[in-house]
Amino acid sequence: TPALSGGMGQNSPNLLWEACGRLSETFDPSNPHSHNPSSRLTHDTVEHVRYRILQHFNTTPDKYSVIFTSGCTAALKLVAESFPWSPPTAMEPASQFCYLTDNHTSVVGIRGVTSALGVVSLPVSPEEIEARARDVAQSECSSCQTPHLFCYPAQSNFSGRKYSLGYVRGIQARKLYPACDSQGRWFVLLDAASFASCSPLDLQEHPADFVPFSFYKMFGFPTGLGALLVRNDTAALLRKAYFGGGTAAAYLAGENYYVPTPNIANRFEDGTVSFLNVIALNHSFDTLHKLTGGMDKVQLHTFGLARYTYMLLSSLCHGNGQPVAQIYSDSEFENPSTQGAILNFNLTDCHGQIVGYSQVDKLASLFNIHVRTGCFCNTGACQIFLGTTNQDVKSNLQAGHVCGDDVDLVDGRPTGSVRVSFGYMSTFRDCQNFLNFVVECFVEKPVEVDQVKLDRLKSNTSSKGSSQCLITMLTNGKHKHIDNGEHASTDPVVNEYGGKAITKEAKSLGKAQYLTNIYIYPIKSCAAFEVTDWPVCPLGLLHDRGWMVVNGNGVCLNQKREPRLCLIHPQIYLPSNTLLLQASGMDTISVPLENHNEPHQSHGVCQSKLCGDRVQTVDCGDEAASWLSEFLGQPCRLIRQSPDFIRNMKKGHEKGVSSTALSLVNEAQYLMINHASVDLLQRHITSRQESSDHQPLNIHELVSRFRANLVISGLEPFEEDDWSHLIIGNTHFQVAGRCGRCQMIGVDQNTGAKTKEPLLSLSAYRKGKVTFGVYLVHQSLDGSNATLSVGAPVMSQWSG
């Protein structure tokens, strides 16, 4: 199980699987809408789970109803579609949909329903709720019955800030803004999705009208199941247009006649609920209480972990005194009633520049630490903490950044951040592993500590001993006091590689540039096939990444999922039109390169997904599938790109690169690396490992890790980053951009073993810019028989 989770307090489901597997031993479950014995038992068990959920939130069935949904978002959508929104009339104003700006997208999305109904949408900042509160005169609480809805999170899913649960009664009584400024009846939706994972919620004390949440965020299992808790006296006001199975007391097929069932839960649960998952909640609650003793203890435990990590991370500094992290929080983690078990931050380098969150994510994976990155479906909080304006968001979209991608910096400014969440399964060792990861990968040595800040933070905690022990370990016992009078150095380095700056002209002067190696990868993620000369086709090198291996579910396998792919050695023999598959301990088999003489129906034409693109592929038959399945130890099939299918490149349009046809490559037709860059990186890795027992990577091993098509020689290190065009032999190429690297370069191509190098050294050397090599597309081919040959001269052109 990963040490840390990127989800909102997600807890490990591992211990629940065995308990949930006992369902079949308990009884034979059946559709609860019937009356046979098994159905009645299912129905009664589901009803018992409803009571148990209400008990968990300290309320009873006479006060609240439990409506099962597919998740928290579905629960919010149900409220949006059934709330009695009122348009403006001559006598009364329109309903208002008011929401805190620090809300999840799924809450703000209610606006999509209300805007079409003439309902006023009002975003409210956290500061306004109490700052603009006022006493409402009794005369203002008169006859206006217009319903209004105010939505806020019990805990921010961005920063972990806990908002006052007292807002529930304050809004309902019209004592807080915006309710105090508008006549009518005010209802409160309390989003508990983040809060309920690690904190107790007492609905008897804080009787919100609607409480949506998801169970997987509480227990880790089951997924695809959430609930909406509705106050019974509020439920009578809800309207429902669609009616599904189990929701009707009576209806007519030939007449517009429908009477809903009086039971609130049955009325809103269209069709059959996911009763097996619902029943599994019994075991989820049992496991939670058995392991933790209750949510009060979970809250104290997870808050302690978050506070411990906050104290140390916020006090860490680079060797020049610059802080290591910029933490996004409204508190200093003093109290679990105001701060949840979430730590949100961006790391900074020794010059104060933000390290992109995607680079942190990639390196964290090497340490089996899983974090979540981006804006976490909370644009409002993201804008507040990152200082992003509305125009910035629109400009970032025009620059190519969309929610959920890995574009972490635009013009040097962050588009999101890193979030660490703790659950009841998390431990202090997890915290220490995370802090060690930060120090190893992102702190400019020697490690320093802001002792003044740390002492101030520790003054309110009892964890002085443990934090001091970790500081000693992180700094090897050597750290100095940094007070506020010291100014960290912000002098820029001579260049980003730590060497003496030289001109572009001087870099290549007198250097012979030539092509030293050509590699093709017939099967995506399998071993390279080195050649001395090779034909070029419209998709790139002929047959490069023309095939890929998919698992039993049709999902493409790569070395991140299945590192043993590198032990499969494909070889292509053009004269015999065959692809050979070879691996240790396996008989060699052959697959035809082309199948023009056979109808497509015999190949099994299928659709697959690759890097977000839909690709049309052809299955290569049962012999290859059996061979791969035996070697990899899981059901697999070999598929190739259909010759009739065209997949166009998306990368490089901002550089003016025209649309280019691709094979099953990730980004572009060719990947090129510079031997001089490999040499320099190899020396850096060796210097980092001098004090360890690790065997340094030799040049050949390092070249193989980067899985390039073309290797060139005779250049200065990383000069290729600034190229715009080049010519190899008689073939003209355009540079489509740099190649971002991930943990896949840590796979030893000889053994399949996973290592942390060279990704760690590459990130450290390039100051967080984890790129190596450049993508190329050919601009023109010299006739139909164009080839690339080892030894061909290389001529480059600089961008700009």
Side-chain angles (χ1 to χ4, degrees):
T1 302
L4 299 175
S5 167
M8 285 306 315
Q10 293 174 8
N11 295 306
S12 171
N14 294 355
L15 296 182
L16 296 173
W17 286 109
E18 181 179 352
C20 294
R22 297 199 302 267
L23 289 176
S24 59
E25 302 173 11
T26 306
F27 62 89
D28 181 19
S30 183
N31 190 317
H33 290 164
S34 297
H35 293 277
N36 60 68
S38 62
S39 293
R40 294 313 302 167
L41 183 56
T42 300
H43 172 272
D44 293 344
T45 308
V46 169
E47 292 309 300
H48 172 73
V49 173
R50 294 189 203 270
Y51 300 152
R52 194 161 188 184
I53 293 168
L54 294 175
Q55 182 183 27
H56 182 81
F57 292 103
N58 194 32
T59 188
T60 58
D62 61 320
K63 297 291 179 65
Y64 280 86
S65 293
V66 179
I67 301 172
F68 288 115
T69 65
S70 63
C72 185
T73 295
L76 290 162
K77 186 170 182 283
L78 189 156
V79 175
E81 295 173 343
S82 59
F83 189 82
W85 306 109
S86 175
T89 66
M91 301 297 296
E92 293 188 346
S95 294
Q96 293 186 44
F97 165 54
C98 304
Y99 56 92
L100 209 63
T101 51
D102 184 2
N103 251 315
H104 193 278
T105 302
S106 298
V107 174
V108 181
I110 295 176
R111 191 176 64 194
V113 174
T114 61
S115 60
L117 303 175
V119 174
V120 177
S121 294
L122 179 65
V124 178
S125 68
E127 296 74 26
E128 290 180 294
I129 297 178
E130 297 183 44
R132 299 180 62 174
R134 65 183 179 87
D135 290 330
V136 178
Q138 193 66 32
S139 59
E140 292 186 50
C141 302
S142 57
S143 60
C144 180
Q145 294 297 301
T146 299
H148 309 290
L149 183 64
F150 178 73
C151 304
Y152 81 100
Q155 175 176 294
S156 169
N157 75 308
F158 185 94
S159 65
R161 174 180 176 178
K162 290 184 178 179
Y163 290 97
S164 172
L165 296 176
Y167 290 170
V168 172
R169 292 185 185 271
I171 292 292
Q172 290 169 338
R174 295 187 57 216
K175 293 181 178 180
L176 298 174
Y177 179 80
C180 61
D181 281 3
S182 301
Q183 296 185 14
R185 298 182 62 186
W186 280 86
F187 300 89
V188 176
L189 185 152
L190 182 68
D191 179 4
S194 175
F195 184 90
S197 63
C198 295
S199 304
L201 176 59
D202 186 341
L203 291 180
Q204 184 172 329
E205 184 69 24
H206 310 289
D209 297 282
F210 308 99
V211 183
F213 58 94
S214 291
F215 289 105
Y216 87 90
K217 294 181 181 178
M218 297 171 59
F219 307 118
F221 179 89
T223 59
L225 183 66
L228 176 67
L229 306 187
V230 185
R231 280 180 65 183
N232 292 335
D233 55 359
T234 301
L237 302 174
L238 300 180
R239 305 166 181 168
K240 189 165 181 285
Y242 175 82
F243 58 94
T247 66
Y251 79 97
L252 292 174
E255 182 182 326
N256 189 16
Y257 177 77
Y258 162 72
V259 178
T261 179
N263 182 281
I264 294 171
N266 291 345
R267 190 188 315 164
F268 287 94
E269 291 172 352
D270 292 307
T272 304
V273 297
S274 182
F275 55 86
L276 289 180
N277 279 338
V278 171
I279 296 170
L281 292 176
N282 254 335
H283 303 289
S284 299
F285 281 113
D286 286 341
T287 302
L288 176 69
H289 285 280
K290 179 181 178 181
L291 293 178
T292 69
M295 293 305 296
D296 289 318
K297 294 179 180 178
V298 170
Q299 177 174 249
L300 290 175
H301 171 68
T302 54
F303 174 76
L305 300 178
R307 174 170 170 74
Y308 175 79
T309 307
Y310 168 80
M311 286 194 309
L312 293 170
L313 183 62
S314 62
S315 303
L316 278 179
C317 298
H318 295 283
N320 63 357
Q322 277 281 358
V324 169
Q326 182 173 332
I327 298 177
Y328 305 118
S329 175
D330 294 302
S331 74
E332 290 190 332
F333 288 68
E334 304 97 337
N335 195 315
S337 65
T338 58
Q339 177 63 47
I342 292 174
L343 188 61
N344 195 309
F345 60 93
N346 269 317
L347 297 179
T348 58
D349 64 19
C350 61
H351 308 293
Q353 300 299 307
I354 296 290
V355 177
Y357 59 74
S358 66
Q359 311 306 333
V360 178
D361 192 11
K362 291 176 183 178
L363 291 177
S365 297
L366 293 180
F367 291 78
N368 200 27
I369 295 173
H370 296 182
V371 297
R372 187 170 172 187
T373 59
C375 273
F376 322 105
C377 298
N378 191 334
T379 298
C382 196
Q383 285 188 260
I384 292 172
F385 283 107
L386 299 185
T388 307
T389 65
N390 292 349
Q391 185 55 48
D392 289 335
V393 174
K394 297 173 184 177
S395 299
N396 290 346
L397 178 63
Q398 294 175 344
H401 169 60
V402 297
C403 292
D405 66 15
D406 59 357
V407 179
D408 47 20
L409 298 171
V410 175
D411 296 329
R413 300 183 61 185
T415 62
S417 57
V418 180
R419 188 182 74 190
V420 168
S421 305
F422 298 92
Y424 67 79
M425 293 287 188
S426 303
T427 66
F428 278 99
R429 176 60 61 87
D430 296 333
C431 303
Q432 293 166 353
N433 289 341
F434 167 73
L435 291 164
N436 279 324
F437 151 69
V438 171
V439 167
E440 182 173 349
C441 297
F442 297 101
V443 179
E444 193 80 12
K445 310 303 186 290
V447 180
E448 306 294 351
V449 176
D450 186 338
Q451 197 66 47
V452 172
K453 183 173 184 177
L454 183 60
D455 289 343
R456 177 172 57 80
L457 294 174
K458 287 197 298 183
S459 64
N460 295 324
T461 184
S462 60
S463 59
K464 297 179 182 180
S466 60
S467 61
Q468 189 61 46
C469 179
L470 181 60
I471 289 171
T472 302
M473 180 174 63
L474 295 175
T475 61
N476 292 321
K478 301 176 181 178
H479 64 276
K480 69 178 182 180
H481 170 82
I482 299 176
D483 60 38
N484 295 332
E486 292 186 43
H487 296 285
S489 170
T490 56
D491 295 336
V493 293
V494 177
N495 61 36
E496 65 176 301
Y497 314 118
K500 183 178 179 182
I502 56 177
T503 64
K504 294 177 180 179
E505 292 78 8
K507 285 183 177 181
S508 298
L509 186 62
K511 294 282 188 177
Q513 304 175 20
Y514 57 92
L515 181 63
T516 61
N517 303 89
I518 302 173
Y519 299 99
I520 62 171
Y521 304 85
I523 303 177
K524 187 176 180 65
S525 270
C526 290
F529 177 44
E530 186 173 8
V531 295
T532 56
D533 55 76
W534 199 255
V536 174
C537 73
L539 301 183
L541 290 169
L542 185 63
H543 299 306
D544 181 55
R545 276 105 171 174
W547 293 260
M548 66 181 181
V549 180
V550 295
N551 66 14
N553 296 318
V555 177
C556 175
L557 291 181
N558 57 38
Q559 290 185 23
K560 286 185 283 188
R561 293 192 178 105
E562 180 48 84
R564 296 185 75 244
L565 284 169
C566 70
L567 305 180
I568 298 174
H569 295 267
Q571 294 187 6
I572 288 181
Y573 288 89
L574 295 178
S576 60
N577 190 43
T578 55
L579 166 68
L580 298 184
L581 299 186
Q582 299 175 327
S584 177
M586 300 289 292
D587 293 333
T588 300
I589 65 169
S590 64
V591 176
L593 298 181
E594 309 288 350
N595 291 285
H596 296 310
N597 298 327
E598 301 180 26
H600 279 185
Q601 286 81 353
S602 65
H603 306 314
V605 178
C606 53
Q607 304 290 329
S608 300
K609 249 326 189 33
L610 178 65
C611 299
D613 294 338
R614 180 187 65 84
V615 293
Q616 184 170 300
T617 58
V618 178
D619 191 279
C620 294
D622 292 338
E623 183 184 12
S626 298
W627 192 94
L628 290 168
S629 300
E630 180 182 349
F631 182 74
L632 296 176
Q634 62 172 306
C636 298
R637 298 200 73 85
L638 182 66
I639 61 177
R640 64 180 177 88
Q641 184 168 326
S642 172
D644 302 325
F645 180 78
I646 297 177
R647 173 179 171 235
N648 290 320
M649 186 179 73
K650 294 180 292 188
K651 188 178 181 67
H653 294 305
E654 69 279 2
K655 297 177 177 291
V657 178
S658 59
S659 181
T660 305
L662 301 179
S663 62
L664 299 177
V665 295
N666 285 354
E667 301 279 359
Q669 292 175 333
Y670 305 86
L671 175 57
M672 184 201 74
I673 62 174
N674 174 7
H675 209 291
S677 303
V678 179
D679 287 339
L680 189 59
L681 180 61
Q682 197 265 350
R683 293 197 297 272
H684 187 68
I685 294 173
T686 301
S687 66
R688 281 172 55 89
Q689 294 182 338
E690 283 179 351
S691 59
S692 69
D693 297 329
H694 294 289
Q695 187 71 23
L697 296 172
N698 62 46
I699 290 296
H700 179 74
E701 290 175 321
L702 198 52
V703 168
S704 71
R705 296 289 186 99
F706 292 109
R707 297 179 60 82
N709 295 114
L710 309 174
V711 183
I712 57 174
S713 186
L715 304 169
E716 294 292 333
F718 298 108
E719 182 180 0
E720 66 277 9
D721 287 354
D722 298 318
W723 288 353
S724 63
H725 298 79
L726 73 156
I727 303 173
I728 302 178
N730 295 319
T731 305
H732 293 246
F733 297 90
Q734 184 174 0
V735 177
R738 302 182 187 183
C739 177
R741 295 301 184 165
C742 65
Q743 62 269 32
M744 187 164 158
I745 63 175
V747 177
D748 186 327
Q749 297 299 298
N750 295 319
T751 66
K754 291 185 177 181
T755 66
K756 294 176 181 177
E757 292 293 358
L759 193 59
L760 282 183
S761 293
L762 179 62
S763 176
Y765 186 72
R766 304 212 69 183
K767 312 300 181 185
K769 300 175 183 177
V770 192
T771 62
F772 197 94
V774 293
Y775 289 117
L776 306 177
V777 297
H778 51 231
Q779 289 185 293
S780 61
L781 299 180
D782 184 19
S784 59
N785 297 319
T787 61
L788 289 177
S789 301
V790 169
V794 176
M795 297 180 61
S796 58
Q797 179 179 335
W798 294 89
S799 58

